[in-house]
Amino acid sequence: MDSLIAAAARALAAGDALGALKRVALRDDPPALALRGIAMAQLGDHARARELLRRAARGFGAHEALARARCVVAEAEVALAMRDLGGSPRALLAAAATLEAHADPANALQAWLIAARRSLLLGRLDEAREALARLDGQGLPASLAAVAELATAELALRSLRTAPAREALARARIAAEHAGVPALLAEVVDTRAALDRPAARQCFSGGERMLRLDEVEALLDSGTLVVDACRRGVGAGTTWRALARRPVLFALALALAEAWPGDVEREALIAQVFRTRDPDETHRARLRVEIGRLRALVKPLARIEASARGFVLRPHDERPVSVLAPPIAGDQAALLALLSDGAAWSTSALALALDASQRTVQRALADLEAEGRVRAIGQTRARRWLAPPLAGFTTILLLPSTLAIA
């Protein structure tokens, strides 16, 4: 490694991207291209950074597997910043294995950390947990330790475990202060503030109230029968029934819970669930079928009994019933929650994170754009979507993930 490359690498490690560029901006050899790519990423020009890193990876010969693996890891981090979540993570995992085989543990751990953060963005909590487990007890540098603790805190928050999240954030703050990186410290402070913001609305007979994440956790652990409109399911204690992929059954459960302890008329259920104002015998027959399916699904939690007017929800053991509603209303709440991180998302990445079709996401974005709630930058395949941060509450419960209730 020549002196200019070494000096540029030291400048990048200290966060001085411009200082690094001064030393290698006019060079096109693979090491210089790699350092230029990392510098451009630090300056926020992610598209240029990705191009430079790919050129560097192609420029390294077959005998330079270690250098190519480092370029793959750097490019994966740029893709994460760009919210380009498509494709397979196999290249990143292969690069991590190469780095471990060539005794480069720092970059190998960085690769696993990127894999964990990618899985968190996609709501794949088990994959994120597995990747983070590889970082335990590895003696990470302060900057990586701070990012790892932030990822651990987010994993805990997504699983609604606020106590471990607070502990991870305390460790992240110490590591960020030791690293001396202001951006990291600001991210720790912002994540910590999310614990004190309203996260959901508890709706019950006679009113509603705003809940913080720890209060949501306490409600779910209290034994109350909760119909969760954030995660689309029904639960009480340790029993959970997911209804995210059964919208009709969830709409029925929500209507019955909102009317509890009273009943709901059959015509009202048909109008709310099937969205028709002129019910006929086919709608009534379908209602009976769907009620039967819901009754079988929630049997461990409650009974659904017929009344003179319609149907009523009867929880076991005289449990109270609450509805957990999102802090923001509307069918696009989860989409807004993803966009509220301030990053520019592609339509394909949003569809992947929400487990929805791109066409569905495009229609939702068009509606939000018409309302002035999101904006697009770029054209065609380079188009990205942005939304202003949703201040005043946290959107953790609206992000894609599986609620940690057995």
Side-chain angles (χ1 to χ4, degrees):
M1 184 182 295
D2 62 50
S3 59
L4 283 178
I5 293 293
R10 287 195 298 271
L12 283 176
D16 183 9
L18 292 177
L21 285 175
K22 287 178 182 178
R23 294 169 172 85
V24 295
L26 300 179
R27 292 178 52 168
D28 285 326
D29 52 301
L33 288 172
L35 292 173
R36 285 168 58 192
I38 296 171
M40 295 307 294
Q42 289 187 4
L43 293 172
D45 190 347
H46 297 125
R48 179 62 174 158
R50 170 182 276 183
E51 178 188 347
L52 289 166
L53 289 167
R54 286 177 174 174
R55 285 176 58 192
R58 290 194 298 268
F60 286 115
H63 61 288
E64 296 175 295
L66 179 60
R68 288 203 312 274
R70 289 171 176 167
C71 289
V72 169
V73 172
E75 185 185 340
E77 188 164 20
V78 170
L80 189 69
M82 295 175 68
R83 297 299 186 261
D84 184 356
L85 308 177
S88 170
R90 285 196 296 268
L92 178 61
L93 301 183
T98 299
L99 292 165
E100 290 172 349
H102 287 78
D104 186 358
N107 281 306
L109 293 173
Q110 170 80 334
W112 285 110
L113 183 53
I114 293 168
R117 292 164 62 202
R118 179 182 184 276
S119 297
L120 281 172
L121 277 177
L122 294 175
R124 299 171 182 172
L125 303 191
D126 289 339
E127 292 180 9
R129 188 176 292 108
E130 182 180 342
L132 286 172
R134 290 178 170 266
L135 306 178
D136 289 343
Q138 295 294 330
L140 296 171
S143 58
L144 280 185
V147 177
E149 294 295 354
L150 278 168
T152 300
E154 183 176 352
L155 177 61
L157 290 175
R158 295 284 196 96
S159 304
L160 283 181
R161 297 184 298 115
T162 54
R166 291 180 189 276
E167 294 170 2
L169 287 171
R171 295 192 298 268
R173 185 182 184 94
I174 294 171
E177 289 174 346
H178 189 262
V181 180
L184 269 179
L185 189 57
E187 188 173 354
V188 173
V189 171
D190 186 63
T191 306
R192 176 61 183 80
L195 290 168
D196 298 321
R197 299 188 192 120
R201 292 176 291 128
Q202 181 190 7
C203 305
F204 48 85
S205 179
E208 69 175 39
R209 69 185 183 105
M210 301 300 292
L211 300 180
R212 299 188 309 272
L213 279 170
D214 57 343
E215 293 172 324
V216 172
E217 182 183 13
L219 174 65
L220 294 173
D221 291 340
S222 68
T224 299
L225 179 62
V226 177
V227 177
D228 188 345
C230 299
R231 301 299 180 91
R232 301 279 176 144
V234 181
T238 59
T239 304
W240 174 254
R241 293 293 181 267
L243 297 174
R245 296 185 179 276
R246 307 186 73 171
V248 171
L249 296 190
F250 177 75
L252 282 172
L254 184 61
L256 292 169
E258 288 174 339
W260 182 88
D263 60 357
V264 188
E265 294 182 358
R266 289 174 177 81
E267 286 72 18
L269 280 174
I270 290 171
Q272 183 171 341
V273 175
F274 303 140
R275 299 184 180 182
T276 179
R277 296 182 179 178
D278 300 308
D280 55 27
E281 285 304 317
T282 61
H283 294 105
R284 296 184 182 91
R286 185 184 175 193
L287 177 63
R288 289 193 294 271
V289 171
E290 299 296 349
I291 284 288
R293 290 171 175 165
L294 181 62
R295 184 179 283 135
L297 194 71
V298 302
K299 187 176 180 180
L301 301 167
R303 304 185 308 278
I304 299 176
E305 298 177 352
S307 66
R309 301 190 315 153
F311 296 93
V312 61
L313 185 65
R314 302 287 190 199
H316 297 325
D317 303 322
E318 302 299 323
R319 299 175 188 266
V321 175
S322 285
V323 173
L324 199 63
I328 53 176
D331 295 335
Q332 296 94 359
L335 183 57
L336 284 172
L338 284 173
L339 291 170
S340 68
D341 66 357
W345 287 73
S346 67
T347 305
S348 59
L350 290 168
L352 187 62
L354 293 172
D355 194 19
S357 69
Q358 285 198 48
R359 185 59 188 146
T360 298
V361 172
Q362 287 166 351
R363 285 195 295 266
L365 288 169
D367 292 341
L368 291 171
E369 187 178 28
E371 297 171 9
R373 302 172 75 182
V374 302
R375 64 185 178 91
I377 55 174
Q379 297 294 327
T380 62
R381 293 177 65 87
R383 172 165 287 196
R384 296 292 184 269
W385 293 89
L386 295 158
L390 298 171
F393 53 85
T394 178
T395 56
I396 287 290
L397 292 180
L398 298 175
L399 296 175
S401 64
T402 301
L403 191 59
I405 299 181

